[in-house]
Amino acid sequence: MTDLTALTIAEARDALAKKDFTAVELTDAYLGAMEKARALNAYVLETPEKARAMAAASDARRAAGTVGALEGIPLGVKDLYCTEGVRTTACSKILDDFVPPYESTVTSNLWADGAVMLGKLNNDEFAMGSSNETSCFGPVVNPWRRKAADGSIDPTPLVPGGSSGGSSAAVAAHIALGATGTDTGGSIRQPAAFTGTVGIKPTYGRCSRWGIVAFASSLDQAGPFARTVRDAAILLKSFASVDPKDTTSVDLPVPDYEAAVGTSIKGKVIGIPKEYRVDGMPAEIETLWSQGIDWLRAAGAEIREISLPHTKYALPAYYIVAPAEASSNLARYDGIRYGLRVTGDDITDTYELTRAAGFGSEVRRRIMIGTYVLSAGYYDAYYVRAQKVRTLIKRDFDLAFQAGVDAVLTPATPSSAFGIGEKSGGDPVEMYLNDIFTVTVNMAGLPGMVVPGGLDAKGLPLGLQLIGRPFEEETLFQVGEVIEQAAGRFTPAKWW
C-alpha cells in the first residue's frame, strides 16, 4: 500500500476526494508514524483519540456531501496556540497543566475547514529562541543528519531551528501533513530553512493572534509550515481571516492563494539588497543566493539591486522592542489565576517564587532586558530610539516597493542547522545572530516566505527567503514556486 505519509496536502486532498482512502486511515498512518518518531521530541502532547474522532467526523461529512477546504487533513499545532480542552503550556513550566476553555481563532478556522488535530508541537519557551532548546520539555531533534568528511553520517543531533522547531521537524519527518507556527523574528522561516520545509510569515494582521500565547504583540504573526509551496498556500487560505477579537486583524478579502501557484513571474521585479551580503557569510550561502537569482532571471523576472540601508540596525533594535513587549506580556504569569503556583509568605513572595520556578533562563533574560529598556531613564534612550529605527526599516522597504520592486530575495539563515548545545551554552548574542536575515520582515510588518533552495556540503538544507509587499502573499507563492521547481524537494533519510 502507498505510504500515506509521503503525500502532500494537495495530493491527500485529491485522493480523499476520490475515496482512495478515508480520513481515519490517513490519520492512523500519521499516528503510527508519530509513535515511531518520538526520538525527535517534536510532539509534547499526542491526541490520538481526538484525532480519530475528528477524522471519523470528517468522513461522515464527506459521505453527506459536505467537504471543507482541509477536510480530513491531519495537522500538528504549535503549543503556543490555545486549544479548547487540550493542554497548552507554551512549553513553559509556569503554565503547568493549563487547559484552555477556548480555541484560538486560527485553529478554529482549521477545524471549521475539516482539518484533524494530531497533537501539540514543541517550541522554545514562550517562543523565545532560535533552536528549540529552551523548551521545558527538552530540545527537538532535527530529522536531518549531517555528513562527515568521509561521507558517513554524523550522529550528532542537530537543532531544527526555533522557536517553531517542533512544527518544522514534524513536517520534515512526515509526522504531520502540515503544522501551525508563529513568527516574531524568524520563528517560522528559520526552522523552515533548517529542515527543508516551506514556511510563510504572512503580513502582520493577515491572521488573527487571538488565542495565541503572546510574546511580542506588535511582531507576532501566525503562519503555516508545509512540504511544498502549494501546500503552504492551501493552509494560509484557512489561517487568514478578519477577527473582531483581535484589533490588529485587518479586514481585507482573503485571496485564493493556491490559484497564484504556478503562474508566470515574467516581468516581476525582484530586488536584491546589497546590505544582506554580510561579512563572514559562508560561500555556500552566497552561492545559493546567486543560484536563486539565476533561477528567477531564467523564469523571466527582472533582477534589480536595491539598498535597504537601515538593515544593519534591525537586529539590535529587534532585541530591544521584542523583550520590552515580552516583559509586559509575561507580567500576567503570577501564579494567582492559573498555571504554576509556588506559595510564599506573602503575595510578593509568591510572585517571586512562582516566576523563579516557572520561567527558564532565556525567558528571564529577555524579561530583564525588556524591563530595563522600559524603565525610567532608559525608555527614551533605548525603546523610543528602537521604534524610530523600526520606522526607518519600514521606510526602506516602502521606497523599494514604490520604485517598482515586487519581491525581495535574500538568504534565509547565515548557516545550515547546527548541533544541539553548540551555541546555547555560550554568548547569547551568537544565537541571536541566527535571526539576522529575518527580523527586518517582522519589524516592517511584511510577508516573508522561506523555500528550500538546496543542500550544503554536509547534506543539510539551505533556504532562500522572499519578502513581499504588504498583503501580497500571492506574489511570494508565485515566485516561491519557481524556486521550488528549480531546486526540487528535500526529504531527510529516516534514521529514527
Side-chain angles (χ1 to χ4, degrees), residues 45-67:
L45 181 67
E46 298 176 13
T47 56
E49 295 83 4
K50 186 175 183 68
R52 290 190 178 100
M54 293 176 78
S58 174
D59 285 332
R61 286 192 298 271
R62 189 177 294 277
T66 305
V67 180

Side-chain angles (χ1 to χ4, degrees), residues 92-94 124-129 134 136 215 322-324 326-328 330 333 340 351-373 428 432:
S92 177
K93 291 179 181 178
I94 203 153
D124 279 300
E125 183 181 8
F126 283 105
M128 297 182 193
T134 70
C136 71
F215 165 11
S327 74
S328 177
L330 270 60
Y333 302 106
L340 179 71
Y351 284 173
E352 292 175 353
L353 292 172
T354 299
R355 289 168 174 163
F359 288 136
S361 59
E362 181 61 31
V363 172
R364 292 199 300 268
R365 177 185 293 120
R366 297 198 193 194
I367 289 172
M368 291 182 71
I369 292 170
T371 304
Y372 177 81
V373 300
Y432 297 165

Side-chain angles (χ1 to χ4, degrees), residues 2 8 22 40 55 62 80 101 114 124 168 196 200 202 224 246 259 262 311 335 378-379 400 409 413 429 445 490-491:
T2 302
T8 66
T22 66
L40 300 178
R62 189 177 294 277
L80 221 62
D124 279 300
S168 65
I200 181 167
D246 177 2
T311 292
Y378 298 101
Y379 180 85
L409 178 72
T413 57
V429 174
F490 305 95
T491 304

Side-chain angles (χ1 to χ4, degrees), residues 96-178:
D96 199 19
D97 287 322
F98 174 62
V99 177
Y102 53 88
E103 190 82 30
S104 80
T105 297
V106 167
T107 50
S108 292
N109 292 347
L110 298 177
W111 313 149
D113 279 345
V116 172
M117 184 171 77
L118 295 169
K120 303 301 286 290
L121 292 162
N122 207 340
N123 53 258
D124 279 300
E125 183 181 8
F126 283 105
M128 297 182 193
S130 302
S131 62
N132 216 142
E133 293 176 276
T134 70
S135 167
C136 71
F137 296 103
V140 175
V141 178
N142 194 325
W144 288 83
R145 289 277 166 93
R146 56 191 170 197
K147 294 179 182 177
D150 62 1
S152 63
I153 300 301
D154 182 347
T156 303
L158 305 178
V159 304
S163 64
S164 308
S167 300
S168 65
V171 174
H174 292 198
I175 54 175
L177 199 39

Side-chain angles (χ1 to χ4, degrees), residues 224-311:
F225 284 88
R227 292 179 207 154
T228 68
V229 171
R230 182 174 298 277
D231 283 4
I234 292 169
L235 287 172
L236 185 58
K237 173 71 172 174
S238 288
F239 272 58
S241 65
V242 63
D243 183 6
K245 295 190 292 292
D246 177 2
T247 57
T248 63
S249 173
V250 176
D251 189 3
L252 285 174
V254 178
D256 180 1
Y257 296 116
E258 188 181 2
V261 177
T263 58
S264 173
I265 65 166
K266 189 173 183 179
K268 293 285 186 185
V269 178
I270 307 299
I272 309 299
K274 60 184 181 181
E275 288 81 8
Y276 279 61
R277 288 188 167 86
V278 297
D279 292 339
M281 187 164 72
E284 287 178 312
I285 303 291
E286 181 74 48
T287 300
L288 176 69
W289 195 10
S290 297
Q291 179 66 78
I293 292 169
D294 290 343
W295 287 334
L296 299 184
R297 184 183 284 116
E302 176 190 335
I303 305 300
R304 182 185 302 173
E305 184 175 81
I306 62 172
S307 179
L308 302 171
H310 294 93
T311 292

